[in-house]
Amino acid sequence: MRTICFLSDFGLADDFVGTCKGVMLKISPGVQILDLTHQVPSFAVEAGAEILQHATRYMPEDSVYLAVVDPGVGTERREVALETSSGASMVGPDNGLLIPAAEALGGASSVVELTNEEYRIHPVSNTFHGRDVFSPVAAYLAVGVGLRELGSEIPLDSLARLDVEEDEASGGEIAARVIDIDRFGNARLSIREYGSGFEYGDELKLDIGDGGMGIRYVATFGAAGAGELILVPDSHWRLSVSINKGSAAKALSLSVGTKVSLKR
Amino acid sequence: MRTICFLSDFGLADDFVGTCKGVMLKISPGVQILDLTHQVPSFAVEAGAEILQHATRYMPEDSVYLAVVDPGVGTERREVALETSSGASMVGPDNGLLIPAAEALGGASSVVELTNEEYRIHPVSNTFHGRDVFSPVAAYLAVGVGLRELGSEIPLDSLARLDVEEDEASGGEIAARVIDIDRFGNARLSIREYGSGFEYGDELKLDIGDGGMGIRYVATFGAAGAGELILVPDSHWRLSVSINKGSAAKALSLSVGTKVSLKR
Amino acid sequence: MRTICFLSDFGLADDFVGTCKGVMLKISPGVQILDLTHQVPSFAVEAGAEILQHATRYMPEDSVYLAVVDPGVGTERREVALETSSGASMVGPDNGLLIPAAEALGGASSVVELTNEEYRIHPVSNTFHGRDVFSPVAAYLAVGVGLRELGSEIPLDSLARLDVEEDEASGGEIAARVIDIDRFGNARLSIREYGSGFEYGDELKLDIGDGGMGIRYVATFGAAGAGELILVPDSHWRLSVSINKGSAAKALSLSVGTKVSLKR
């Protein structure tokens, strides 16, 4: 049986996650459910999409991804499931949450809207499609129900996409933005380490709209002095503007969305 | 092997839940343990009972429910296990926690007090029967040990019950009470949607002891204006007094236990 | 397949734990992973070691313990795995975290440094060896890869150890220290109940460097009056200085590390 990788913004204070698991185990007894995280910030579709995309590097290849960050529940937004060319499946709302992960897995080869009433828990609530629509579909996929059983096929390019600004690289300069501030005050950037073209030890110039300042690109915090402004890769292989033993976000007044440029 | 559905007020900050799982896996290797929630408010037996009862709609039919919200641990309160006529089993303290769930599953067909010392972890601590008494019993039930092996049968009507006020419905008026205030300030009522007799769109009168005010019964928040006082079903199929994009609890000074009446 | 018992200080707010689980399930599909706790205080190696040691009483005998509290990640500290004479395995950083648990399981019979590059996820990050080094090794051990496959054997006495003061018992007096203050203000001591030599009901003398005061040794909180200063065993079978329905830590200004002596 395929593993179900479950991501949501349900939190763990309530019984939401447990109830979804009951629904899945009732349909596919013995299925393994991996909690990726349930603490995506409430309704933060873009943050959830980034975590899901990153996770694809580490999850079993034939996983069924169940992802629910769904501010539009109860409105007209569609419910969808898709298959990737790498052999994974994904289930969730049609709000862009699944797209970056699907692309990281080679792209979606087939998409359906979840219109088949047989694969839902009735009555379907207005507020909790995680339980009533998405969990049952994930469980049916895990035991081998075919994607086309679940509803009618829809064009891949009809899926909603996140309106995410692309990083721009030209002439050795990368224009990017802050996508997250972690609890230590590190400002995580949209730039991935492996696409940056920079090398450890490079003395770079960081510009946040104020004329620019020097920043050193290092492999680890251990390679920097206390209080030094550094560019350092995080565990998601993204670059982070950091101050060793300090808060870069506070020192430079960085927040989610701040535009930055980096060059040699 | 049967699934164990585990609910407690242990929280996740400590190793309590993990230790209980070790005990269970040692007795029944490979058993599947579903965490319903471990964040029932400390010692809140009634809140735990409501979550457990609700969960029975969604859990595998032959589940073993392990439920530990146990303010009386170390006192004379009994430890019990029971079978329901639907084929589920339940294990926990004899303090009313299990009763609403058992009734939702067709009622208890057989109850034992857990007196058989063979099915405990020795030495039994004074403070943690979840680990030493209830978890082993749940694991033995999951692998097929019979209920009567675990102790001596006791009469169903000897079980402790929660002293919960019943809602009263007469002449189109329902007298009920607030059972929970959620983090958004929605006041969840003791009334279940399917027993209310109201219909979406009804203009109702809500009385909280102050003469009464108008409230509209709607299917979703999306059907209400910002700031509108509404009656709306939640994901547990209970009615909730809510203010769209506001806090009904603050606006009306509602708290757990507040009596309300509703009529057309 | 062997159960993996997973302890860390990763918390549950992020996807760290979920990513480690993906790594393990990819290597050993279907393996059972038991979350002991992921809320060890950040970088608190000694606290993690105590929880891990205690857990060994309750976990399946052939468990693979995956323990990651690793303030030295990215420095020269070694990565190790070991086998105990009881048949368990342990994986983690060489910083003392594993030692008390290994000793509780009869001692380490064989230890290796994790030098075999084949059993890692590449590229290995500088900050997250839980994902890239320790999780894969735990998963390979769970499916039967031999310890010596994983790297080169090293002497047991070369392992780093925690610099923990031993309790001293002489002439009926025990010199110990506070190892933890829980959320109720109970001061947990380094003394284990079964080595104390005291008996329930004993009137003892507690000295915290101020001349001493009377304290009664009781089996449960229920055996004490409100406001009474008591010595009471906790669920880890350690003695705790407590005030029934009050905070001993506040009343006596106790904190982690406070030295205490107890005698009849």
Side-chain angles (χ1 to χ4, degrees), chain B residues 2-21:
Chain B
R2 300 162 74 186
T3 297
I4 297 173
C5 300
F6 188 7
L7 169 143
S8 78
D9 63 350
F10 296 158
L12 294 173
D14 300 294
D15 55 340
F16 299 126
V17 170
T19 305
C20 288
K21 289 182 179 174

Side-chain angles (χ1 to χ4, degrees), chain A residues 2-234:
Chain A
R2 300 163 73 185
T3 297
I4 296 173
C5 300
F6 187 9
L7 168 143
S8 78
D9 64 349
F10 297 157
L12 295 172
D14 300 293
D15 55 340
F16 299 126
V17 171
T19 305
C20 288
K21 289 182 180 173
V23 166
M24 291 187 265
L25 289 176
K26 209 165 175 172
I27 292 167
S28 35
V31 71
Q32 194 150 22
I33 303 166
L34 183 163
D35 296 298
L36 196 45
T37 179
H38 296 292
Q39 305 208 33
V40 174
S42 294
F43 306 145
V45 178
E46 188 178 346
E50 197 270 335
I51 296 169
L52 197 68
Q53 177 188 37
H54 172 71
T56 57
R57 285 176 77 117
Y58 299 100
M59 299 296 126
E61 214 165 66
D62 65 346
S63 293
V64 177
Y65 292 87
L66 167 62
V68 191
V69 181
D70 191 13
V73 64
T75 68
E76 293 297 303
R77 71 94 189 82
R78 296 182 297 188
E79 293 125 22
V80 296
L82 60 83
E83 273 170 12
T84 69
S85 53
S86 66
S89 301
M90 301 190 157
V91 186
D94 177 22
N95 62 9
L97 177 64
L98 309 177
I99 305 293
E103 286 172 354
L105 291 168
S109 52
S110 185
V111 190
V112 298
E113 184 178 353
L114 301 174
T115 46
N116 190 338
E117 297 284 327
E118 280 176 47
Y119 296 106
R120 301 177 166 219
I121 302 288
H122 296 277
V124 173
S125 68
N126 292 301
T127 55
F128 196 4
H129 289 183
R131 177 190 67 197
D132 301 329
V133 179
F134 300 123
S135 288
V137 164
Y140 283 114
L141 286 169
V143 289
V145 168
L147 192 72
R148 278 167 202 77
E149 283 290 299
L150 303 169
S152 43
E153 211 159 349
I154 57 175
L156 174 56
D157 62 11
S158 77
L159 288 176
R161 274 155 196 275
L162 293 166
D163 184 21
V164 177
E165 268 177 84
E166 296 290 322
D167 298 340
E168 281 172 44
S170 71
E173 180 165 350
I174 301 181
R177 73 213 148 78
V178 176
I179 59 165
D180 185 39
I181 305 287
D182 76 13
R183 58 190 165 140
F184 302 108
N186 301 306
R188 301 177 59 220
L189 301 182
S190 48
I191 307 173
R192 277 162 212 292
E193 177 171 43
Y194 293 109
S196 75
F198 302 137
E199 283 175 31
Y200 296 146
D202 283 357
E203 299 286 348
L204 305 173
K205 190 174 165 195
L206 167 71
D207 194 330
I208 53 173
D210 58 354
M213 67 198 85
I215 188 167
R216 194 155 59 99
Y217 181 31
V218 296
T220 75
F221 280 90
E228 186 180 352
L229 181 66
I230 53 175
L231 188 70
V232 61
D234 71 9

Side-chain angles (χ1 to χ4, degrees), chain B residues 7-40:
Chain B
L7 169 143
S8 78
D9 63 350
F10 296 158
L12 294 173
D14 300 294
D15 55 340
F16 299 126
V17 170
T19 305
C20 288
K21 289 182 179 174
V23 166
M24 291 188 265
L25 289 176
K26 210 165 174 171
I27 291 167
S28 34
V31 71
Q32 194 150 22
I33 303 167
L34 184 163
D35 296 297
L36 196 44
T37 178
H38 296 290
Q39 305 209 32
V40 174

Side-chain angles (χ1 to χ4, degrees), chain A residues 26, chain B residues 51-60 65 90 100-102 104-105:
Chain A
K26 209 165 175 172
Chain B
I51 295 169
L52 197 67
Q53 177 189 37
H54 172 72
T56 57
R57 286 176 76 118
Y58 299 100
M59 299 296 126
Y65 292 86
M90 299 191 160
L105 291 168

